[in-house]
Amino acid sequence: MAGGWARDGAVQEQIDASIEDELKRMQARRLPGGESRTHCAECEEPIPEARRQALPGVKLCIDCQQERDRRPEQRAGINRRGSKDSQLK
Ligand SMILES: [Zn+2]
């Protein structure tokens, strides 16, 4: 119980909030141009058409993009979602 996840929980809630939030963040920081991939560059999973249209030049599926966005230590708390909904506004 020395992981300190409680303190980092708020950050994790924001990261897990929703795919839509993730898309907004990615659009906000602008991906490099180029063609969207039909399949993830890392895991070869098909990338949904809606995601490809929303994110020109997208290279990763949602799962891989989120993994890339997260720091490894943050991922440890992935299953804590939903436990602190009251902190979401
Ligand atoms: Zn992937």
Side-chain angles (χ1 to χ4, degrees):
M1 300 298 279
W5 60 266
R7 188 187 63 193
D8 296 330
V11 174
Q12 189 64 49
E13 290 285 352
Q14 290 178 348
I15 292 171
D16 284 345
S18 71
I19 293 170
E20 287 184 356
D21 280 353
E22 187 230 350
L23 294 180
K24 287 177 186 174
R25 286 190 294 114
M26 291 180 66
Q27 287 176 321
R29 72 189 181 210
R30 293 190 181 184
L31 291 172
E35 291 186 33
S36 301
R37 292 181 64 105
T38 57
H39 290 72
C40 176
E42 291 200 357
C43 73
E44 302 294 323
E45 282 290 313
I47 298 173
E49 180 67 25
R51 175 173 171 81
R52 294 171 54 210
Q53 292 187 357
L55 300 170
V58 66
K59 300 290 193 292
L60 300 174
C61 72
I62 293 169
D63 285 347
C64 288
Q65 185 65 59
Q66 288 186 337
E67 283 197 34
R68 185 165 286 195
D69 285 348
R70 287 181 183 127
R71 295 175 184 174
E73 60 268 28
Q74 290 178 324
R75 293 183 60 203
I78 190 168
N79 291 326
R80 299 294 184 181
R81 66 185 301 173
S83 62
K84 289 187 288 297
D85 283 348
S86 62
Q87 294 184 2
L88 286 176
K89 295 246 173 135

